[in-house]
Amino acid sequence: MIKIYHNPRCSKSRNGLEIIKESGKNFEIVSYLENTPSKEELKQLLNLLNINAESLIRKNEAVWKENFKGKDLTEEQLIEAMVKFPKLIERPIVTNGKKAVIGRPPEKISEII
C-alpha cells in the first residue's frame, strides 16, 4: 500500500499527492502534522529512506533556527525534535512496501509507484 506523509499547505506535497492519484493505485494519506509519527515510525521511515535524521529535517523552519540550529544533536535527539515539532519533517514522504522517497522534486515519487 502506498502511503504519503502529506501537508496540504505545501505545494510539493500537493503535487506529490496528484502524482499518486493519477497512478490509479490505492493509497493512504497521513496528515503528519495532526497524526505525528512516533519515534519508532520515524526510525522506520529513515531506514526505508536510507538517510540519517538530520537529512529529514527542514532547516529553514523557524522552530529549527530558534531551538536547534548550531547545536550538536544526536540521532535520537533529532528524532525527538521531529516528534515534538512535526513541522520539521521534510515533505512529502511516500512509502510503497519496502521503498520510500522524499518527493522533492515530486517526480521522484513516480520511481516507487
Side-chain angles (χ1 to χ4, degrees):
M1 164 77 77
I2 298 168
K3 188 183 288 190
I4 181 170
Y5 292 81
H6 178 60
N7 177 349
R9 299 186 72 155
C10 171
S11 63
K12 299 281 190 248
S13 197
R14 290 191 307 269
N15 291 345
L17 182 58
E18 280 305 309
I19 289 168
I20 294 169
K21 285 180 179 177
E22 288 171 7
S23 77
K25 297 182 179 174
N26 290 332
F27 64 94
E28 174 186 352
I29 298 173
V30 177
S31 299
Y32 70 91
L33 294 177
E34 291 87 37
N35 300 309
T36 306
S38 68
K39 286 196 315 188
E40 279 308 308
E41 286 175 285
L42 279 173
K43 287 177 183 178
Q44 289 172 354
L45 284 172
L46 291 167
N47 190 38
L48 285 175
L49 291 163
N50 198 27
I51 61 172
N52 62 22
E54 188 173 357
S55 298
L56 191 59
I57 290 181
R58 298 174 52 82
K59 295 184 185 72
N60 286 328
E61 291 292 335
V63 71
W64 175 261
K65 292 175 181 175
E66 293 164 7
N67 297 289
F68 306 105
K69 186 177 180 179
K71 294 184 179 176
D72 188 21
L73 302 172
T74 66
E75 190 79 357
E76 198 68 26
Q77 289 170 319
L78 291 168
I79 291 168
E80 288 171 7
M82 287 187 278
V83 170
K84 187 172 182 181
F85 302 103
K87 198 172 190 179
L88 290 175
I89 301 171
E90 189 61 83
R91 64 204 179 231
I93 301 168
V94 177
T95 64
N96 188 2
K98 295 186 184 283
K99 298 183 250 177
V101 294
I102 297 171
R104 290 186 169 268
E107 294 75 26
K108 287 184 80 172
I109 294 167
S110 298
E111 296 171 10
I112 68 164
I113 59 172

